[in-house]
Amino acid sequence: MRQLFHVTPSGWAGLATAAFGILVLPSLANSYWLSVFTSMGCFLLAIAGVAFMYARLGMVSLTQVGLMGVGGWIALRLNYAFDFPFEVNLALAATATMIFGWILALPALRMRGLYLALVTLMAAGGLEILFATFQFPNGGAGFWGVQTGSGAAFRRPWIAQSAQAYLRYVIACALLGFLCIELHRRLQPGRAWALIRRSEAAAMAAGVNVTLYKTWAFGIAGLLGGAAGALLAGSLGLLDDGTFRASESVMIFALAVVGGAHSWQGALVAALLYKVLPALLNIWGVDANLSFVIFGAGLLHAVITAPQGIAGQLLDGLRRLSPKREAKDA
């Protein structure tokens, strides 16, 4: 029990970063950067899900942005169909997407590597077609709830009506997502996932229910992706099918590898690259598509020289510096 609530130096750094994001960052950003950082926080939560699956089980899921779209669609539909509070819509959207993740896991349970990636990519492509065909609800009548013209207003949380408050809300939700992952890592699921990643045969010999824990992992990734999509719907008020292309799922997985899938710092680096870098290029008057070249170079660098990603390299550099500092102090 003591180990369960033990906070590591990396954990304290994460809590400090979240505190900065909640208390300081919204006050410093203008309206443009508030929108960028809010979108970044939503995708940070989704990236945490796909990085978690890769780091804990070695499973490559290329459906995460599609799962965001599912969560966003459900949140929009609930918003216009019922008078539920935002938190209820968020919880229902995340739960439904978690169930969708379980369903997605069924054909993928006996697959690994390239075959698993292909199955999840095909699922992302199917979702992309559905979103493009039926669009996202905007307050219209019927099951799909689509109408021509501007839709009805989207209800935000009562404690997060302004852009600054909503950014704080998104960061707090992202923090809860990371705490959920860390809690699972320290409990029985984390030990089971570690054994499954090392050897599925050894895990089954040790009595681990491999099917259960793989499905569990897909469910957590779906939960985080659905919550991220619902939060993005709350930020924008209206979603577009162009946001949830299958190629974007490939992109965030690649960036999770570039940033470092084994730590929260890596997910943060990936989210910064995905959302903040293109915004900076736009401000500097540079074509934002240049970011794809930078992403490709970063992925090549991670594959060749940095298996732990950019965050892993930075942390290793800090560890190497600390003994030298202690020696100088002595």
Side-chain angles (χ1 to χ4, degrees):
M1 184 63 68
R2 182 178 181 182
Q3 184 179 3
L4 179 64
F5 295 101
H6 174 68
V7 183
T8 63
S10 177
W12 284 118
L15 292 174
T17 302
F20 174 83
I22 293 172
L23 300 176
V24 179
L25 184 61
S27 303
L28 299 178
N30 58 26
S31 58
Y32 174 76
W33 283 109
L34 283 172
S35 175
V36 170
F37 287 136
T38 301
S39 180
M40 173 192 146
C42 297
F43 277 92
L44 173 62
L45 192 56
I47 290 170
V50 74
F52 145 77
M53 285 188 62
Y54 182 66
R56 299 299 160 206
L57 282 164
M59 295 195 300
V60 178
S61 174
L62 301 180
T63 323
Q64 195 70 355
V65 172
L67 294 176
M68 285 183 67
V70 173
W73 193 97
I74 295 172
L76 286 168
R77 193 74 216 96
L78 291 172
N79 174 78
Y80 297 125
F82 305 101
D83 194 25
F84 295 151
F86 178 86
E87 288 76 13
V88 174
N89 293 339
L90 174 64
L92 291 175
T95 303
T97 315
M98 178 178 66
I99 296 172
F100 188 88
W102 289 340
I103 297 172
L104 178 64
L106 295 178
L109 288 175
R110 296 186 178 276
M111 300 178 183
R112 292 180 65 87
L114 177 62
Y115 299 104
L116 175 60
L118 288 174
V119 168
T120 56
L121 182 59
M122 285 190 291
L127 289 172
E128 179 182 345
I129 293 171
L130 288 174
F131 296 147
T133 303
F134 298 105
Q135 298 299 316
F136 286 87
N138 63 353
F143 175 78
W144 300 108
V146 178
Q147 64 181 4
T148 304
S150 60
F154 190 94
R155 295 188 304 276
R156 281 186 174 181
W158 66 272
I159 60 171
Q161 293 295 312
S162 67
Q164 292 88 346
Y166 194 76
L167 174 57
R168 294 187 178 97
Y169 190 90
V170 169
I171 295 174
C173 289
L175 176 61
L176 290 176
F178 280 103
L179 290 176
C180 175
I181 292 174
E182 182 63 17
L183 182 64
H184 278 81
R185 187 187 71 81
R186 296 189 181 196
L187 294 174
Q188 176 62 30
R191 294 188 288 271
W193 290 328
L195 192 55
I196 292 170
R197 180 180 174 89
R198 181 171 299 179
S199 171
E200 288 190 18
M204 286 187 287
V208 174
N209 189 332
V210 175
T211 300
L212 170 65
Y213 285 107
K214 277 190 172 183
T215 307
W216 196 327
F218 267 97
I220 291 176
L223 178 77
L224 298 179
L231 290 168
L232 189 63
S235 170
L236 302 176
L238 180 65
L239 297 179
D240 180 74
D241 62 280
T243 307
F244 305 102
R245 295 192 177 100
S247 58
E248 297 302 312
S249 290
V250 178
M251 181 68 69
I252 68 165
F253 173 76
L255 288 176
V257 174
V258 171
H262 294 79
S263 65
W264 66 265
Q265 294 96 333
L268 181 60
V269 169
L272 286 168
L273 289 173
Y274 187 65
K275 282 297 177 182
V276 174
L277 178 59
L280 286 173
L281 292 177
N282 280 328
I283 289 177
W284 295 336
V286 180
D287 188 348
N289 288 326
L290 178 62
S291 60
F292 294 114
V293 179
I294 299 173
F295 296 162
L299 181 60
L300 188 63
H301 168 73
V303 170
I304 295 175
T305 64
Q308 299 297 317
I310 295 173
Q313 279 193 320
L314 293 175
L315 292 174
D316 287 342
L318 291 174
R319 293 189 191 100
R320 293 192 190 100
L321 287 175
S322 56
K324 294 181 181 179
R325 289 178 178 174
E326 291 176 1
K328 288 180 181 179
D329 293 340

PDB file of all heavy atoms in Angstrom, residues 64-92:
ATOM      1  N   GLN A  64      -6.485   5.383 -32.565  1.00  0.00           N
ATOM      2  CA  GLN A  64      -6.748   6.259 -31.432  1.00  0.00           C
ATOM      3  C   GLN A  64      -7.491   7.527 -31.817  1.00  0.00           C
ATOM      4  O   GLN A  64      -8.412   7.958 -31.110  1.00  0.00           O
ATOM      5  CB  GLN A  64      -5.431   6.605 -30.724  1.00  0.00           C
ATOM      6  CG  GLN A  64      -5.598   7.209 -29.348  1.00  0.00           C
ATOM      7  CD  GLN A  64      -6.122   6.207 -28.323  1.00  0.00           C
ATOM      8  OE1 GLN A  64      -6.459   5.079 -28.635  1.00  0.00           O
ATOM      9  NE2 GLN A  64      -6.180   6.628 -27.075  1.00  0.00           N
ATOM     10  N   VAL A  65      -7.128   8.139 -32.937  1.00  0.00           N
ATOM     11  CA  VAL A  65      -7.841   9.358 -33.349  1.00  0.00           C
ATOM     12  C   VAL A  65      -9.269   9.010 -33.764  1.00  0.00           C
ATOM     13  O   VAL A  65     -10.199   9.793 -33.536  1.00  0.00           O
ATOM     14  CB  VAL A  65      -7.076  10.064 -34.490  1.00  0.00           C
ATOM     15  CG1 VAL A  65      -7.896  11.208 -35.067  1.00  0.00           C
ATOM     16  CG2 VAL A  65      -5.744  10.591 -33.972  1.00  0.00           C
ATOM     17  N   GLY A  66      -9.458   7.826 -34.358  1.00  0.00           N
ATOM     18  CA  GLY A  66     -10.817   7.374 -34.652  1.00  0.00           C
ATOM     19  C   GLY A  66     -11.643   7.210 -33.394  1.00  0.00           C
ATOM     20  O   GLY A  66     -12.838   7.557 -33.362  1.00  0.00           O
ATOM     21  N   LEU A  67     -11.028   6.694 -32.331  1.00  0.00           N
ATOM     22  CA  LEU A  67     -11.720   6.571 -31.050  1.00  0.00           C
ATOM     23  C   LEU A  67     -12.057   7.942 -30.475  1.00  0.00           C
ATOM     24  O   LEU A  67     -13.098   8.121 -29.838  1.00  0.00           O
ATOM     25  CB  LEU A  67     -10.866   5.773 -30.064  1.00  0.00           C
ATOM     26  CG  LEU A  67     -10.634   4.297 -30.410  1.00  0.00           C
ATOM     27  CD1 LEU A  67      -9.693   3.647 -29.407  1.00  0.00           C
ATOM     28  CD2 LEU A  67     -11.954   3.536 -30.460  1.00  0.00           C
ATOM     29  N   MET A  68     -11.180   8.903 -30.704  1.00  0.00           N
ATOM     30  CA  MET A  68     -11.511  10.276 -30.310  1.00  0.00           C
ATOM     31  C   MET A  68     -12.777  10.744 -31.026  1.00  0.00           C
ATOM     32  O   MET A  68     -13.647  11.392 -30.429  1.00  0.00           O
ATOM     33  CB  MET A  68     -10.353  11.227 -30.654  1.00  0.00           C
ATOM     34  CG  MET A  68      -9.158  11.146 -29.750  1.00  0.00           C
ATOM     35  SD  MET A  68      -7.917  12.394 -30.217  1.00  0.00           S
ATOM     36  CE  MET A  68      -8.779  13.920 -29.813  1.00  0.00           C
ATOM     37  N   GLY A  69     -12.865  10.408 -32.323  1.00  0.00           N
ATOM     38  CA  GLY A  69     -14.047  10.788 -33.079  1.00  0.00           C
ATOM     39  C   GLY A  69     -15.315  10.147 -32.546  1.00  0.00           C
ATOM     40  O   GLY A  69     -16.372  10.784 -32.474  1.00  0.00           O
ATOM     41  N   VAL A  70     -15.206   8.879 -32.130  1.00  0.00           N
ATOM     42  CA  VAL A  70     -16.361   8.194 -31.542  1.00  0.00           C
ATOM     43  C   VAL A  70     -16.795   8.901 -30.254  1.00  0.00           C
ATOM     44  O   VAL A  70     -17.978   9.162 -30.031  1.00  0.00           O
ATOM     45  CB  VAL A  70     -16.033   6.712 -31.266  1.00  0.00           C
ATOM     46  CG1 VAL A  70     -17.167   6.040 -30.493  1.00  0.00           C
ATOM     47  CG2 VAL A  70     -15.781   5.971 -32.578  1.00  0.00           C
ATOM     48  N   GLY A  71     -15.831   9.204 -29.394  1.00  0.00           N
ATOM     49  CA  GLY A  71     -16.151   9.902 -28.153  1.00  0.00           C
ATOM     50  C   GLY A  71     -16.743  11.274 -28.401  1.00  0.00           C
ATOM     51  O   GLY A  71     -17.702  11.688 -27.732  1.00  0.00           O
ATOM     52  N   GLY A  72     -16.192  11.997 -29.380  1.00  0.00           N
ATOM     53  CA  GLY A  72     -16.731  13.310 -29.706  1.00  0.00           C
ATOM     54  C   GLY A  72     -18.133  13.229 -30.275  1.00  0.00           C
ATOM     55  O   GLY A  72     -18.997  14.049 -29.941  1.00  0.00           O
ATOM     56  N   TRP A  73     -18.390  12.216 -31.136  1.00  0.00           N
ATOM     57  CA  TRP A  73     -19.724  12.055 -31.721  1.00  0.00           C
ATOM     58  C   TRP A  73     -20.761  11.789 -30.630  1.00  0.00           C
ATOM     59  O   TRP A  73     -21.841  12.385 -30.618  1.00  0.00           O
ATOM     60  CB  TRP A  73     -19.707  10.896 -32.729  1.00  0.00           C
ATOM     61  CG  TRP A  73     -20.920  10.833 -33.608  1.00  0.00           C
ATOM     62  CD1 TRP A  73     -21.048  11.328 -34.866  1.00  0.00           C
ATOM     63  CD2 TRP A  73     -22.198  10.248 -33.273  1.00  0.00           C
ATOM     64  NE1 TRP A  73     -22.311  11.097 -35.354  1.00  0.00           N
ATOM     65  CE2 TRP A  73     -23.040  10.430 -34.403  1.00  0.00           C
ATOM     66  CE3 TRP A  73     -22.706   9.600 -32.157  1.00  0.00           C
ATOM     67  CZ2 TRP A  73     -24.357   9.985 -34.424  1.00  0.00           C
ATOM     68  CZ3 TRP A  73     -24.024   9.158 -32.181  1.00  0.00           C
ATOM     69  CH2 TRP A  73     -24.832   9.342 -33.296  1.00  0.00           C
ATOM     70  N   ILE A  74     -20.422  10.891 -29.704  1.00  0.00           N
ATOM     71  CA  ILE A  74     -21.365  10.549 -28.636  1.00  0.00           C
ATOM     72  C   ILE A  74     -21.616  11.757 -27.730  1.00  0.00           C
ATOM     73  O   ILE A  74     -22.757  12.036 -27.337  1.00  0.00           O
ATOM     74  CB  ILE A  74     -20.838   9.361 -27.828  1.00  0.00           C
ATOM     75  CG1 ILE A  74     -20.791   8.106 -28.713  1.00  0.00           C
ATOM     76  CG2 ILE A  74     -21.700   9.099 -26.595  1.00  0.00           C
ATOM     77  CD1 ILE A  74     -20.104   6.923 -28.071  1.00  0.00           C
ATOM     78  N   ALA A  75     -20.549  12.492 -27.409  1.00  0.00           N
ATOM     79  CA  ALA A  75     -20.718  13.673 -26.551  1.00  0.00           C
ATOM     80  C   ALA A  75     -21.605  14.715 -27.217  1.00  0.00           C
ATOM     81  O   ALA A  75     -22.476  15.319 -26.571  1.00  0.00           O
ATOM     82  CB  ALA A  75     -19.352  14.268 -26.220  1.00  0.00           C
ATOM     83  N   LEU A  76     -21.413  14.934 -28.523  1.00  0.00           N
ATOM     84  CA  LEU A  76     -22.258  15.888 -29.242  1.00  0.00           C
ATOM     85  C   LEU A  76     -23.713  15.422 -29.285  1.00  0.00           C
ATOM     86  O   LEU A  76     -24.640  16.199 -29.084  1.00  0.00           O
ATOM     87  CB  LEU A  76     -21.731  16.066 -30.661  1.00  0.00           C
ATOM     88  CG  LEU A  76     -20.445  16.889 -30.822  1.00  0.00           C
ATOM     89  CD1 LEU A  76     -19.885  16.741 -32.230  1.00  0.00           C
ATOM     90  CD2 LEU A  76     -20.695  18.359 -30.510  1.00  0.00           C
ATOM     91  N   ARG A  77     -23.909  14.127 -29.546  1.00  0.00           N
ATOM     92  CA  ARG A  77     -25.280  13.610 -29.638  1.00  0.00           C
ATOM     93  C   ARG A  77     -25.996  13.743 -28.301  1.00  0.00           C
ATOM     94  O   ARG A  77     -27.166  14.135 -28.232  1.00  0.00           O
ATOM     95  CB  ARG A  77     -25.246  12.130 -30.063  1.00  0.00           C
ATOM     96  CG  ARG A  77     -26.584  11.605 -30.479  1.00  0.00           C
ATOM     97  CD  ARG A  77     -26.974  12.154 -31.859  1.00  0.00           C
ATOM     98  NE  ARG A  77     -28.392  12.419 -32.008  1.00  0.00           N
ATOM     99  CZ  ARG A  77     -28.957  13.593 -31.842  1.00  0.00           C
ATOM    100  NH1 ARG A  77     -28.262  14.646 -31.465  1.00  0.00           N
ATOM    101  NH2 ARG A  77     -30.235  13.767 -32.032  1.00  0.00           N
ATOM    102  N   LEU A  78     -25.297  13.412 -27.211  1.00  0.00           N
ATOM    103  CA  LEU A  78     -25.892  13.522 -25.886  1.00  0.00           C
ATOM    104  C   LEU A  78     -26.175  14.979 -25.534  1.00  0.00           C
ATOM    105  O   LEU A  78     -27.189  15.298 -24.902  1.00  0.00           O
ATOM    106  CB  LEU A  78     -24.965  12.899 -24.841  1.00  0.00           C
ATOM    107  CG  LEU A  78     -24.796  11.378 -24.895  1.00  0.00           C
ATOM    108  CD1 LEU A  78     -23.706  10.936 -23.929  1.00  0.00           C
ATOM    109  CD2 LEU A  78     -26.108  10.674 -24.573  1.00  0.00           C
ATOM    110  N   ASN A  79     -25.274  15.866 -25.953  1.00  0.00           N
ATOM    111  CA  ASN A  79     -25.443  17.287 -25.637  1.00  0.00           C
ATOM    112  C   ASN A  79     -26.731  17.842 -26.242  1.00  0.00           C
ATOM    113  O   ASN A  79     -27.445  18.616 -25.606  1.00  0.00           O
ATOM    114  CB  ASN A  79     -24.240  18.058 -26.163  1.00  0.00           C
ATOM    115  CG  ASN A  79     -24.395  19.561 -26.001  1.00  0.00           C
ATOM    116  OD1 ASN A  79     -24.214  20.101 -24.925  1.00  0.00           O
ATOM    117  ND2 ASN A  79     -24.740  20.241 -27.087  1.00  0.00           N
ATOM    118  N   TYR A  80     -27.024  17.447 -27.479  1.00  0.00           N
ATOM    119  CA  TYR A  80     -28.196  17.988 -28.159  1.00  0.00           C
ATOM    120  C   TYR A  80     -29.469  17.201 -27.868  1.00  0.00           C
ATOM    121  O   TYR A  80     -30.573  17.738 -27.986  1.00  0.00           O
ATOM    122  CB  TYR A  80     -27.941  18.018 -29.671  1.00  0.00           C
ATOM    123  CG  TYR A  80     -26.805  18.918 -30.062  1.00  0.00           C
ATOM    124  CD1 TYR A  80     -25.731  18.439 -30.809  1.00  0.00           C
ATOM    125  CD2 TYR A  80     -26.785  20.251 -29.667  1.00  0.00           C
ATOM    126  CE1 TYR A  80     -24.680  19.263 -31.157  1.00  0.00           C
ATOM    127  CE2 TYR A  80     -25.734  21.081 -30.012  1.00  0.00           C
ATOM    128  CZ  TYR A  80     -24.685  20.587 -30.761  1.00  0.00           C
ATOM    129  OH  TYR A  80     -23.635  21.401 -31.099  1.00  0.00           O
ATOM    130  N   ALA A  81     -29.336  15.929 -27.495  1.00  0.00           N
ATOM    131  CA  ALA A  81     -30.531  15.100 -27.280  1.00  0.00           C
ATOM    132  C   ALA A  81     -31.059  15.187 -25.854  1.00  0.00           C
ATOM    133  O   ALA A  81     -32.263  15.035 -25.625  1.00  0.00           O
ATOM    134  CB  ALA A  81     -30.218  13.644 -27.624  1.00  0.00           C
ATOM    135  N   PHE A  82     -30.168  15.413 -24.893  1.00  0.00           N
ATOM    136  CA  PHE A  82     -30.572  15.410 -23.485  1.00  0.00           C
ATOM    137  C   PHE A  82     -30.015  16.642 -22.777  1.00  0.00           C
ATOM    138  O   PHE A  82     -29.085  17.286 -23.261  1.00  0.00           O
ATOM    139  CB  PHE A  82     -30.084  14.136 -22.783  1.00  0.00           C
ATOM    140  CG  PHE A  82     -30.521  12.871 -23.458  1.00  0.00           C
ATOM    141  CD1 PHE A  82     -29.636  12.167 -24.266  1.00  0.00           C
ATOM    142  CD2 PHE A  82     -31.807  12.383 -23.300  1.00  0.00           C
ATOM    143  CE1 PHE A  82     -30.023  10.994 -24.897  1.00  0.00           C
ATOM    144  CE2 PHE A  82     -32.211  11.219 -23.923  1.00  0.00           C
ATOM    145  CZ  PHE A  82     -31.317  10.522 -24.731  1.00  0.00           C
ATOM    146  N   ASP A  83     -30.567  16.910 -21.632  1.00  0.00           N
ATOM    147  CA  ASP A  83     -30.131  18.065 -20.854  1.00  0.00           C
ATOM    148  C   ASP A  83     -29.180  17.638 -19.737  1.00  0.00           C
ATOM    149  O   ASP A  83     -29.259  18.121 -18.619  1.00  0.00           O
ATOM    150  CB  ASP A  83     -31.359  18.789 -20.274  1.00  0.00           C
ATOM    151  CG  ASP A  83     -31.007  20.172 -19.760  1.00  0.00           C
ATOM    152  OD1 ASP A  83     -30.018  20.751 -20.244  1.00  0.00           O
ATOM    153  OD2 ASP A  83     -31.704  20.659 -18.858  1.00  0.00           O
ATOM    154  N   PHE A  84     -28.279  16.709 -20.071  1.00  0.00           N
ATOM    155  CA  PHE A  84     -27.324  16.234 -19.069  1.00  0.00           C
ATOM    156  C   PHE A  84     -26.220  17.269 -18.864  1.00  0.00           C
ATOM    157  O   PHE A  84     -25.856  18.001 -19.791  1.00  0.00           O
ATOM    158  CB  PHE A  84     -26.678  14.923 -19.518  1.00  0.00           C
ATOM    159  CG  PHE A  84     -27.637  13.772 -19.633  1.00  0.00           C
ATOM    160  CD1 PHE A  84     -27.398  12.751 -20.544  1.00  0.00           C
ATOM    161  CD2 PHE A  84     -28.768  13.687 -18.838  1.00  0.00           C
ATOM    162  CE1 PHE A  84     -28.272  11.680 -20.660  1.00  0.00           C
ATOM    163  CE2 PHE A  84     -29.650  12.628 -18.939  1.00  0.00           C
ATOM    164  CZ  PHE A  84     -29.401  11.627 -19.857  1.00  0.00           C
ATOM    165  N   PRO A  85     -25.642  17.315 -17.665  1.00  0.00           N
ATOM    166  CA  PRO A  85     -24.440  18.142 -17.465  1.00  0.00           C
ATOM    167  C   PRO A  85     -23.280  17.625 -18.316  1.00  0.00           C
ATOM    168  O   PRO A  85     -23.254  16.460 -18.716  1.00  0.00           O
ATOM    169  CB  PRO A  85     -24.137  17.979 -15.960  1.00  0.00           C
ATOM    170  CG  PRO A  85     -25.402  17.480 -15.359  1.00  0.00           C
ATOM    171  CD  PRO A  85     -26.094  16.677 -16.408  1.00  0.00           C
ATOM    172  N   PHE A  86     -22.323  18.494 -18.565  1.00  0.00           N
ATOM    173  CA  PHE A  86     -21.185  18.121 -19.410  1.00  0.00           C
ATOM    174  C   PHE A  86     -20.443  16.916 -18.836  1.00  0.00           C
ATOM    175  O   PHE A  86     -20.003  16.030 -19.582  1.00  0.00           O
ATOM    176  CB  PHE A  86     -20.222  19.309 -19.534  1.00  0.00           C
ATOM    177  CG  PHE A  86     -18.988  18.988 -20.348  1.00  0.00           C
ATOM    178  CD1 PHE A  86     -19.011  19.106 -21.729  1.00  0.00           C
ATOM    179  CD2 PHE A  86     -17.812  18.568 -19.730  1.00  0.00           C
ATOM    180  CE1 PHE A  86     -17.883  18.805 -22.477  1.00  0.00           C
ATOM    181  CE2 PHE A  86     -16.683  18.268 -20.478  1.00  0.00           C
ATOM    182  CZ  PHE A  86     -16.715  18.395 -21.851  1.00  0.00           C
ATOM    183  N   GLU A  87     -20.305  16.878 -17.509  1.00  0.00           N
ATOM    184  CA  GLU A  87     -19.564  15.776 -16.891  1.00  0.00           C
ATOM    185  C   GLU A  87     -20.233  14.426 -17.148  1.00  0.00           C
ATOM    186  O   GLU A  87     -19.547  13.419 -17.334  1.00  0.00           O
ATOM    187  CB  GLU A  87     -19.427  16.011 -15.385  1.00  0.00           C
ATOM    188  CG  GLU A  87     -18.464  17.123 -14.997  1.00  0.00           C
ATOM    189  CD  GLU A  87     -19.048  18.508 -15.227  1.00  0.00           C
ATOM    190  OE1 GLU A  87     -20.274  18.623 -15.454  1.00  0.00           O
ATOM    191  OE2 GLU A  87     -18.266  19.483 -15.189  1.00  0.00           O
ATOM    192  N   VAL A  88     -21.563  14.404 -17.173  1.00  0.00           N
ATOM    193  CA  VAL A  88     -22.280  13.164 -17.467  1.00  0.00           C
ATOM    194  C   VAL A  88     -22.043  12.751 -18.916  1.00  0.00           C
ATOM    195  O   VAL A  88     -21.781  11.582 -19.219  1.00  0.00           O
ATOM    196  CB  VAL A  88     -23.786  13.330 -17.181  1.00  0.00           C
ATOM    197  CG1 VAL A  88     -24.560  12.092 -17.632  1.00  0.00           C
ATOM    198  CG2 VAL A  88     -24.020  13.595 -15.698  1.00  0.00           C
ATOM    199  N   ASN A  89     -22.130  13.710 -19.837  1.00  0.00           N
ATOM    200  CA  ASN A  89     -21.863  13.417 -21.244  1.00  0.00           C
ATOM    201  C   ASN A  89     -20.434  12.919 -21.439  1.00  0.00           C
ATOM    202  O   ASN A  89     -20.189  11.986 -22.222  1.00  0.00           O
ATOM    203  CB  ASN A  89     -22.095  14.667 -22.097  1.00  0.00           C
ATOM    204  CG  ASN A  89     -23.552  15.086 -22.138  1.00  0.00           C
ATOM    205  OD1 ASN A  89     -24.445  14.278 -21.871  1.00  0.00           O
ATOM    206  ND2 ASN A  89     -23.798  16.336 -22.473  1.00  0.00           N
ATOM    207  N   LEU A  90     -19.494  13.547 -20.737  1.00  0.00           N
ATOM    208  CA  LEU A  90     -18.093  13.135 -20.827  1.00  0.00           C
ATOM    209  C   LEU A  90     -17.910  11.708 -20.336  1.00  0.00           C
ATOM    210  O   LEU A  90     -17.244  10.880 -20.991  1.00  0.00           O
ATOM    211  CB  LEU A  90     -17.220  14.101 -20.006  1.00  0.00           C
ATOM    212  CG  LEU A  90     -15.737  13.757 -19.865  1.00  0.00           C
ATOM    213  CD1 LEU A  90     -15.047  13.779 -21.218  1.00  0.00           C
ATOM    214  CD2 LEU A  90     -15.048  14.750 -18.910  1.00  0.00           C
ATOM    215  N   ALA A  91     -18.512  11.386 -19.197  1.00  0.00           N
ATOM    216  CA  ALA A  91     -18.374  10.038 -18.642  1.00  0.00           C
ATOM    217  C   ALA A  91     -19.031   8.995 -19.540  1.00  0.00           C
ATOM    218  O   ALA A  91     -18.481   7.910 -19.768  1.00  0.00           O
ATOM    219  CB  ALA A  91     -18.988   9.994 -17.240  1.00  0.00           C
ATOM    220  N   LEU A  92     -20.213   9.310 -20.075  1.00  0.00           N
ATOM    221  CA  LEU A  92     -20.904   8.363 -20.948  1.00  0.00           C
ATOM    222  C   LEU A  92     -20.148   8.159 -22.256  1.00  0.00           C
ATOM    223  O   LEU A  92     -20.046   7.036 -22.766  1.00  0.00           O
ATOM    224  CB  LEU A  92     -22.322   8.853 -21.227  1.00  0.00           C
ATOM    225  CG  LEU A  92     -23.293   8.816 -20.040  1.00  0.00           C
ATOM    226  CD1 LEU A  92     -24.624   9.439 -20.420  1.00  0.00           C
ATOM    227  CD2 LEU A  92     -23.503   7.382 -19.551  1.00  0.00           C
TER     228      LEU A  92
END
